Amino acid sequence: MLVKNIEQKIKINKAVSIASILFAVFVVIAGFVMAYKTVQDSRKSLYVIDNGVPILVKQTDELLNRPVEYQSQIELFHRLFFTLAPDDRYIKENVEKSLYLIDDSGKKEYTNLREKGFYNQIISGNSLVTVRNDSIKIDLPNRKFIYYGTQMINRKKSLIIRKLITEGNFEDMIRSPNNPHGVLLRNWRILDNSELSNKVKSNY
């Protein structure tokens, strides 16, 4: 009887020891997980100095901002490519900046417009060309976009308003000073650039 009691106590002690070890291992793992999450959260916290006053700000996951960056890149490209002044140097600088954001399809369109004399007409006619972004449709699964805008050609004696609809693809790339969003537009083409109105300016 005594031997049985001793064996039973040994089994109980063994079970308690194993349970204690497992519980300790669980506590250690849980502690590591919580510490890791705390470190990750702390890395997302930054202090920005504003006039000598530290302000706590939070970093966000860049993937959450990617759709916004895609739209911003598309809008930036069209603004640079289609904002023109009667100055050959200004036109070249703007177009060169825009070509960092797009593949060869942008350069082909630039060459096409130049061969048609579009830029020469802007310079000789002392015209100012601007573009207004109306909306941008993003298709994330297929990595495609459609840009809807309005192009305004302000000449000395008239104001021409054109519809501007383009489409293309986009892909992620390494960020750089010339491409801060890290987005490259591809297979871009103009779908519609038809004239909406041509208003003659008054002489006074």
Side-chain angles (χ1 to χ4, degrees), residues 1-13:
M1 194 71 180
L2 182 62
V3 174
K4 286 185 177 180
N5 287 338
I6 292 173
E7 287 179 351
Q8 190 174 8
K9 286 182 179 180
I10 290 173
K11 287 180 180 179
I12 292 171
N13 288 338

Side-chain angles (χ1 to χ4, degrees), residues 148-179:
Y148 299 92
T150 304
Q151 184 183 35
M152 288 154 284
I153 304 174
N154 195 342
R155 293 178 175 170
K156 187 175 181 181
K157 295 184 178 180
S158 64
L159 175 62
I160 301 171
I161 298 177
R162 291 179 172 272
K163 187 188 298 183
L164 181 61
I165 302 176
T166 72
E167 71 171 4
N169 301 90
F170 56 87
E171 67 177 38
D172 297 326
M173 65 174 293
I174 297 173
R175 296 174 191 265
S176 69
N178 292 318
N179 193 332

Side-chain angles (χ1 to χ4, degrees), residues 135-154:
S135 67
I136 299 172
K137 184 179 178 182
I138 300 287
D139 182 358
L140 282 175
N142 296 314
R143 317 289 285 179
K144 295 177 68 175
F145 73 88
I146 300 179
Y147 174 91
Y148 299 92
T150 304
Q151 184 183 35
M152 288 154 284
I153 304 174
N154 195 342

